[in-house]
Amino acid sequence: MEQQLDFLVDKVVAELQKKLSELGEKAPAQVVEQAVEKVVEASMQPSVEANGAAAPQSDVSEEPERTAQIPNPQWKEGLEELLTSTPARIGVWRTGVRPLTKTMLQLRRDHAAAVDAVYGEVRQEVLDQFSLFTVETQYDNTENYLKRPDMGRILTDEGVRLLQERCQKKPQVQIVVSDGLSASAVDANLKDVLPSLLDSLKSYGLSCGTPFFVKGGRVASMDHIGEVLEPEVLVMLIGERPGLVTAHSMSAYMCYRPRKGMVESERTVISNIHRQGTSPVEAGAHIGTILFKMLEQKASGVKLVL
């Protein structure tokens, strides 16, 4: 999806340049709007060749090569090295006192994706694929979730009842999935992380309890879950706070014998699980290894030796 949006941004800029050359100084305030409308309209219809056959779609799955927009940089090699070492917005240059149009379009695109990640919901078909039933915390709604983190740490009475009825008690490993601050992180990564994690647990001879989904969950909701189910180890796959580099990043928080009153140093975490960060498949396998070591050492967090 991100590559497709990059492709659309490029098409908008190309159409904008074409209109500017045609219109000159006429109606400058309408130029961007017209360019966007034309590209969006074209993107809704398949391309057709002269013989009536569908034209091949442009390949937007490849990661575009990043190039600096600064004209005649004093240290070109150093700037190129920086571009390959970070996804941050550097070397974007400017026009007058503002960023280039393409940079602004990309910024607005990424900001919109971050907002959608926070206010969106995990697709039900993703949960159904892994037979995950849903329990909720006391967050009530998204606005309250953002303002009252403490309410995302406690399950509702109905949620506790569901766990007691449907989950295995005192499992060796308990897997929990939560939207956290990015529903799109679950949509994007769960299909790769969870099967890899289950395969890893099987290879170590570890048994798994009943996985489920927590809506409106914070990391510390794993403590309340631990009190109810009493697992030996628990891993929570949760959406991270989105940024302007990616809105699809997931974290895996793990702890040994989770319980209320735990401090953050007692948790172990793998963060930045996404396609441009920690590979989702590799992350799932590594989580299984860490859980195995937790059970061996009966420890997690700063006490765990990896």
Side-chain angles (χ1 to χ4, degrees), residues 276-294:
Q276 288 76 47
T278 303
S279 164
V281 173
E282 292 181 6
H286 188 46
I287 292 166
T289 300
I290 292 177
L291 294 173
F292 177 72
K293 290 184 177 181
M294 285 183 178

mmCIF file of all heavy atoms in Angstrom, residues 276-294:
data_model
loop_
_atom_site.group_PDB
_atom_site.id
_atom_site.type_symbol
_atom_site.label_atom_id
_atom_site.label_comp_id
_atom_site.label_asym_id
_atom_site.label_seq_id
_atom_site.Cartn_x
_atom_site.Cartn_y
_atom_site.Cartn_z
ATOM 1 N N GLN A 276 9.928 -2.853 6.730
ATOM 2 C CA GLN A 276 11.154 -2.069 6.580
ATOM 3 C C GLN A 276 12.005 -2.093 7.846
ATOM 4 O O GLN A 276 13.035 -1.434 7.908
ATOM 5 C CB GLN A 276 10.811 -0.610 6.219
ATOM 6 C CG GLN A 276 10.283 -0.404 4.802
ATOM 7 C CD GLN A 276 8.840 -0.833 4.646
ATOM 8 O OE1 GLN A 276 7.991 -0.487 5.463
ATOM 9 N NE2 GLN A 276 8.547 -1.584 3.598
ATOM 10 N N GLY A 277 11.562 -2.832 8.850
ATOM 11 C CA GLY A 277 12.304 -2.926 10.107
ATOM 12 C C GLY A 277 12.672 -4.364 10.408
ATOM 13 O O GLY A 277 13.315 -5.036 9.592
ATOM 14 N N THR A 278 12.281 -4.858 11.579
ATOM 15 C CA THR A 278 12.479 -6.260 11.911
ATOM 16 C C THR A 278 11.487 -7.094 11.115
ATOM 17 O O THR A 278 10.277 -6.888 11.220
ATOM 18 C CB THR A 278 12.263 -6.505 13.419
ATOM 19 O OG1 THR A 278 13.152 -5.672 14.169
ATOM 20 C CG2 THR A 278 12.519 -7.956 13.777
ATOM 21 N N SER A 279 11.970 -8.014 10.304
ATOM 22 C CA SER A 279 11.102 -8.824 9.456
ATOM 23 C C SER A 279 10.052 -9.553 10.298
ATOM 24 O O SER A 279 10.390 -10.193 11.296
ATOM 25 C CB SER A 279 11.942 -9.849 8.694
ATOM 26 O OG SER A 279 11.132 -10.870 8.148
ATOM 27 N N PRO A 280 8.771 -9.482 9.928
ATOM 28 C CA PRO A 280 7.726 -10.157 10.715
ATOM 29 C C PRO A 280 7.959 -11.660 10.882
ATOM 30 O O PRO A 280 7.745 -12.206 11.969
ATOM 31 C CB PRO A 280 6.447 -9.869 9.915
ATOM 32 C CG PRO A 280 6.728 -8.586 9.206
ATOM 33 C CD PRO A 280 8.185 -8.639 8.859
ATOM 34 N N VAL A 281 8.404 -12.336 9.834
ATOM 35 C CA VAL A 281 8.642 -13.776 9.929
ATOM 36 C C VAL A 281 9.803 -14.057 10.874
ATOM 37 O O VAL A 281 9.729 -14.942 11.746
ATOM 38 C CB VAL A 281 8.916 -14.371 8.536
ATOM 39 C CG1 VAL A 281 9.337 -15.837 8.651
ATOM 40 C CG2 VAL A 281 7.683 -14.247 7.648
ATOM 41 N N GLU A 282 10.899 -13.318 10.740
ATOM 42 C CA GLU A 282 12.052 -13.505 11.623
ATOM 43 C C GLU A 282 11.698 -13.148 13.064
ATOM 44 O O GLU A 282 12.167 -13.792 14.009
ATOM 45 C CB GLU A 282 13.220 -12.658 11.136
ATOM 46 C CG GLU A 282 13.803 -13.128 9.816
ATOM 47 C CD GLU A 282 14.980 -12.283 9.387
ATOM 48 O OE1 GLU A 282 15.405 -11.401 10.172
ATOM 49 O OE2 GLU A 282 15.480 -12.501 8.271
ATOM 50 N N ALA A 283 10.875 -12.115 13.236
ATOM 51 C CA ALA A 283 10.467 -11.714 14.586
ATOM 52 C C ALA A 283 9.698 -12.838 15.274
ATOM 53 O O ALA A 283 9.933 -13.143 16.448
ATOM 54 C CB ALA A 283 9.613 -10.451 14.524
ATOM 55 N N GLY A 284 8.770 -13.474 14.544
ATOM 56 C CA GLY A 284 8.000 -14.560 15.137
ATOM 57 C C GLY A 284 8.889 -15.696 15.621
ATOM 58 O O GLY A 284 8.708 -16.227 16.721
ATOM 59 N N ALA A 285 9.891 -16.058 14.802
ATOM 60 C CA ALA A 285 10.814 -17.124 15.184
ATOM 61 C C ALA A 285 11.650 -16.722 16.397
ATOM 62 O O ALA A 285 11.875 -17.532 17.312
ATOM 63 C CB ALA A 285 11.716 -17.468 14.005
ATOM 64 N N HIS A 286 12.090 -15.465 16.424
ATOM 65 C CA HIS A 286 12.938 -14.991 17.528
ATOM 66 C C HIS A 286 12.148 -14.906 18.832
ATOM 67 O O HIS A 286 12.678 -15.182 19.912
ATOM 68 C CB HIS A 286 13.530 -13.634 17.167
ATOM 69 C CG HIS A 286 14.548 -13.145 18.139
ATOM 70 N ND1 HIS A 286 15.567 -13.942 18.624
ATOM 71 C CD2 HIS A 286 14.709 -11.923 18.729
ATOM 72 C CE1 HIS A 286 16.316 -13.242 19.462
ATOM 73 N NE2 HIS A 286 15.810 -12.020 19.548
ATOM 74 N N ILE A 287 10.875 -14.526 18.749
ATOM 75 C CA ILE A 287 10.024 -14.472 19.945
ATOM 76 C C ILE A 287 9.961 -15.850 20.598
ATOM 77 O O ILE A 287 10.060 -15.987 21.824
ATOM 78 C CB ILE A 287 8.610 -13.976 19.587
ATOM 79 C CG1 ILE A 287 8.646 -12.508 19.176
ATOM 80 C CG2 ILE A 287 7.656 -14.155 20.769
ATOM 81 C CD1 ILE A 287 7.368 -12.027 18.498
ATOM 82 N N GLY A 288 9.808 -16.906 19.778
ATOM 83 C CA GLY A 288 9.767 -18.258 20.318
ATOM 84 C C GLY A 288 11.039 -18.620 21.059
ATOM 85 O O GLY A 288 10.997 -19.252 22.130
ATOM 86 N N THR A 289 12.183 -18.191 20.517
ATOM 87 C CA THR A 289 13.471 -18.450 21.174
ATOM 88 C C THR A 289 13.551 -17.745 22.523
ATOM 89 O O THR A 289 14.007 -18.325 23.523
ATOM 90 C CB THR A 289 14.631 -17.985 20.281
ATOM 91 O OG1 THR A 289 14.585 -18.695 19.035
ATOM 92 C CG2 THR A 289 15.974 -18.225 20.952
ATOM 93 N N ILE A 290 13.099 -16.493 22.572
ATOM 94 C CA ILE A 290 13.146 -15.733 23.821
ATOM 95 C C ILE A 290 12.227 -16.361 24.879
ATOM 96 O O ILE A 290 12.592 -16.481 26.052
ATOM 97 C CB ILE A 290 12.767 -14.267 23.570
ATOM 98 C CG1 ILE A 290 13.855 -13.581 22.732
ATOM 99 C CG2 ILE A 290 12.586 -13.515 24.895
ATOM 100 C CD1 ILE A 290 13.545 -12.146 22.362
ATOM 101 N N LEU A 291 11.031 -16.762 24.460
ATOM 102 C CA LEU A 291 10.104 -17.390 25.405
ATOM 103 C C LEU A 291 10.696 -18.681 25.973
ATOM 104 O O LEU A 291 10.536 -18.985 27.165
ATOM 105 C CB LEU A 291 8.770 -17.674 24.720
ATOM 106 C CG LEU A 291 7.956 -16.439 24.295
ATOM 107 C CD1 LEU A 291 6.739 -16.850 23.488
ATOM 108 C CD2 LEU A 291 7.543 -15.611 25.502
ATOM 109 N N PHE A 292 11.393 -19.445 25.130
ATOM 110 C CA PHE A 292 12.047 -20.667 25.585
ATOM 111 C C PHE A 292 13.097 -20.357 26.656
ATOM 112 O O PHE A 292 13.187 -21.036 27.687
ATOM 113 C CB PHE A 292 12.681 -21.385 24.393
ATOM 114 C CG PHE A 292 13.441 -22.629 24.757
ATOM 115 C CD1 PHE A 292 12.773 -23.781 25.149
ATOM 116 C CD2 PHE A 292 14.827 -22.645 24.728
ATOM 117 C CE1 PHE A 292 13.474 -24.932 25.491
ATOM 118 C CE2 PHE A 292 15.534 -23.779 25.068
ATOM 119 C CZ PHE A 292 14.864 -24.937 25.451
ATOM 120 N N LYS A 293 13.870 -19.287 26.431
ATOM 121 C CA LYS A 293 14.897 -18.900 27.406
ATOM 122 C C LYS A 293 14.272 -18.389 28.701
ATOM 123 O O LYS A 293 14.814 -18.598 29.787
ATOM 124 C CB LYS A 293 15.811 -17.841 26.797
ATOM 125 C CG LYS A 293 16.707 -18.383 25.694
ATOM 126 C CD LYS A 293 17.666 -17.320 25.174
ATOM 127 C CE LYS A 293 18.599 -17.893 24.115
ATOM 128 N NZ LYS A 293 19.555 -16.897 23.602
ATOM 129 N N MET A 294 13.130 -17.718 28.595
ATOM 130 C CA MET A 294 12.428 -17.267 29.801
ATOM 131 C C MET A 294 12.027 -18.451 30.673
ATOM 132 O O MET A 294 12.176 -18.419 31.905
ATOM 133 C CB MET A 294 11.185 -16.462 29.417
ATOM 134 C CG MET A 294 11.458 -15.068 28.921
ATOM 135 S SD MET A 294 9.918 -14.202 28.579
ATOM 136 C CE MET A 294 10.552 -12.604 28.070
#
